[in-house]
Amino acid sequence: MRKTSLKVVLLSAILLCLSACTPTSGIFAGGSWQSRGLPHQRIRALTVDYNNPQIIYAAGALGKNFTSSDGGQHWVDRSFGLPTGSSINVLSFDSTGKKLYAATDAGIFMSTDAAHHWIAVEKAEAPYTALAFNFREPHTIYAGTAFHGVLRSSDDGNTWFSANTGLLPGITINALTFDTENQQLWAATSSGVYRSDDKGLSWHAFNTGLPTSIVVYSVQPDTIVPGGTSGLIFAGTNHGFFFSQDAGTHWTTGQESLVGTNVRVIYVDFNKPTTLFVGTDVGVLRSDNSGQNWSALGSGMPKDQAVYVIMWGTSGYTQLFAAADDVYIYPGTSGGFSFNRLIALLIAAVFFYALYRLARRGRRTSRTGRNAVRPGEEEGNDLSKTSN
C-alpha cells in the first residue's frame, strides 16, 4: 500500500511538471506581452495581411512603415513613396486584401506590392485619420479627416467626394467602421457617435446616454464579426467604455465602466463575439461578457503608453498584436526562458524532491518496524525454553 502511495506522489510530480512546460499554462506559460523590436517608433497604425497572417505591417508618427514576414520577429523599413516625416495614422487593406492603404497627415497612399512601393491616391492638405471599406462594394473607400469630415470614393481612390451631410462643420473623425452585415457606416468623432444608413450620403447623431462634450475614439458593432448580436454597439471614449443594445439609440455603461480611462480602440474577437479587447492609456484590457467586466491582459506592457490598435495575427491567428510606442505581442514567445519562470520551476523541483524523500523515509521506517523483533516476543521465547 505504501509502495502505491510513493508511485502516486511521483506520478503527480511528473504530471505537474509536464503541465508547467506547456506554452499556454503553468510555469512556462507565455502570459505576458513581449516587445517586437520597434522601440521609440511611436507606432500608431498596425494591420495584418489576412491572406497571410504571418505578414504584419506597422507604422507611426515618425512617417516610417515597417513590414515583417515572420509574425513580427524581424522587420524591414518599407517606406518608399511615403511622405518623409508625415505621421501615418492608419494602415488598412481593402476588401479584396490586395491593396494596402495608408492614411497620413499628408494624404492617402496605396501599395499593391506588399509595401515595397507607395503611390498617392489623395493628397489634399488635411490629416487623414480613418479608413473604412464596404466588403460588398470592393471599389468603395471611406476616409475620415481631422478637420474636414468624411470623404468617399467609388473608384479605388481616383476621385473623392465630400460625405458630410448631417455632420458638424470642422468635426474630427477619429475612426470609421463599416458594418457590412447591416450596411451601416459608423463614425467615432470629437462630438460623439454618428451613423449613416445610406453609405455616407447623410449622417445622424446617436448620443443619448453619453456625457456631454464626449470624445469618441472607437465605435464597433458586434456584428462586425460572424455571430455577433444584432443592435449591440460598443464605444470607446475619453470617459471610458459604453455600449448600446438598440443600435445606438441609447447608451449605457457596463458593471465596470472604466470611467476615468481613455478607451482608444475596441477589438471584437472574431471567434467569440462576447470577448472584447480594449486599448487604453494603461495597457490592454479584456472582457468575456461583452464589456460588463474587465481584467488586465498580461504583464509586460508599459503603463505609460497608450494602445492604439489591437488585432490577431501569425499562423492560425494565435497571437495578439498591439500598437503603442512599440509593437507588442501576446502571449510572448519567450515565456519559457523568463528568469522568474526558471526560479518557479526550481522551487517546484525542490518541493517535489522533498515529497519524494519523505515518501522514501516513510517506506524505510515501515520496513524496519516490520523486520524488528519486539522485546516481549524475545522474552516469551526464552521462558518457554526454560520451562521445557
Side-chain angles (χ1 to χ4, degrees):
M1 182 70 178
R2 294 183 182 273
K3 186 175 182 181
T4 302
S5 298
L6 176 61
K7 288 182 178 180
V8 170
V9 171
L10 292 176
L11 181 59
S12 299
I14 293 171
L15 290 175
L16 285 171
C17 285
L18 287 175
S19 70
C21 296
T22 64
T24 58
S25 63
I27 296 169
F28 280 150
S32 61
W33 292 93
Q34 181 182 350
S35 167
R36 290 286 77 190
L38 293 176
H40 313 302
Q41 291 297 325
R42 297 172 61 189
I43 301 299
R44 298 292 181 269
L46 184 71
T47 195
V48 174
D49 185 345
Y50 50 81
N51 292 312
N52 181 359
Q54 282 287 98
I55 302 177
I56 316 294
Y57 300 88
L62 302 182
K64 294 287 188 179
N65 172 73
F66 299 92
T67 304
S68 173
S69 59
D70 54 10
Q73 296 184 50
H74 304 90
W75 299 90
V76 293
D77 184 347
R78 289 187 178 170
S79 307
F80 184 78
L82 291 171
T84 304
S86 181
S87 178
I88 302 171
N89 304 312
V90 180
L91 289 172
S92 181
F93 279 94
D94 69 352
S95 58
T96 67
K98 297 178 180 179
K99 296 178 180 179
L100 177 61
Y101 287 86
T104 81
D105 280 355
I108 300 175
F109 295 77
M110 183 263 292
S111 174
T112 57
D113 58 3
H116 285 279
H117 303 87
W118 296 87
I119 60 171
V121 296
E122 173 57 38
K123 296 187 69 174
E125 292 298 324
Y128 286 84
T129 55
L131 292 170
F133 300 88
N134 182 355
F135 282 77
R136 295 180 185 173
E137 296 179 359
H139 302 291
T140 300
I141 309 171
Y142 300 93
T145 72
F147 309 112
H148 304 293
V150 178
L151 300 178
R152 182 180 186 273
S153 173
S154 300
D155 54 9
D156 298 313
N158 292 313
T159 56
W160 294 86
F161 302 93
S162 175
N164 290 322
T165 301
L167 294 176
L168 294 176
I171 196 171
T172 297
I173 308 298
N174 293 317
L176 292 171
T177 303
F178 198 96
D179 181 1
T180 301
E181 177 71 21
N182 296 296
Q183 289 292 288
Q184 294 174 329
L185 180 60
W186 293 87
T189 81
S190 57
S191 298
V193 175
Y194 283 79
R195 191 183 80 199
S196 174
D197 298 327
D198 51 14
K199 303 176 183 178
L201 295 178
S202 63
W203 294 89
H204 300 278
F206 286 83
N207 293 321
T208 301
L210 296 177
T212 57
S213 303
I214 194 169
V215 176
V216 181
Y217 299 114
S218 178
V219 176
Q220 289 293 328
D222 199 45
T223 49
I224 199 74
V225 300
T229 301
S230 181
L232 181 58
I233 316 295
F234 309 113
T237 80
N238 62 338
H239 290 276
F241 176 86
F242 293 81
F243 72 94
S244 170
Q245 294 178 302
D246 52 13
T249 303
H250 302 89
W251 295 93
T252 188
T253 61
Q255 296 177 29
E256 299 174 24
S257 66
L258 305 183
V259 63
T261 304
N262 286 314
V263 178
R264 297 188 177 276
V265 62
I266 300 170
Y267 187 74
V268 184
D269 194 308
F270 188 85
N271 295 311
K272 191 178 180 183
T274 56
T275 296
L276 308 178
F277 301 94
V278 295
T280 75
D281 288 346
V282 292
V284 178
L285 305 179
R286 171 176 175 158
S287 172
D288 290 313
N289 55 3
S290 298
Q292 292 298 312
N293 303 100
W294 298 93
S295 60
L297 184 65
S299 60
M301 180 77 71
K303 299 301 182 184
D304 58 347
Q305 296 180 14
V307 177
Y308 294 92
V309 187
I310 304 171
M311 59 178 52
W312 289 108
T314 66
S315 298
Y317 295 95
T318 56
Q319 292 181 301
L320 203 63
F321 286 79
D325 182 59
D326 193 354
V327 174
Y328 294 86
I329 189 172
Y330 177 92
T333 57
S334 62
F337 299 98
S338 163
F339 179 76
N340 291 335
R341 287 190 173 86
L342 179 60
I343 293 298
L345 180 61
L346 290 174
I347 292 173
V350 170
F351 173 75
F352 287 120
Y353 178 73
L355 284 180
Y356 170 74
R357 295 293 297 174
L358 287 172
R360 286 288 300 269
R361 183 180 299 175
R363 187 181 177 189
R364 286 198 301 269
T365 301
S366 175
R367 185 180 300 166
T368 300
R370 288 197 303 269
N371 294 335
V373 178
R374 289 192 294 267
E377 292 178 351
E378 184 177 353
E379 289 177 1
N381 289 337
D382 288 344
L383 289 173
S384 63
K385 289 178 181 179
T386 302
S387 60
N388 288 336

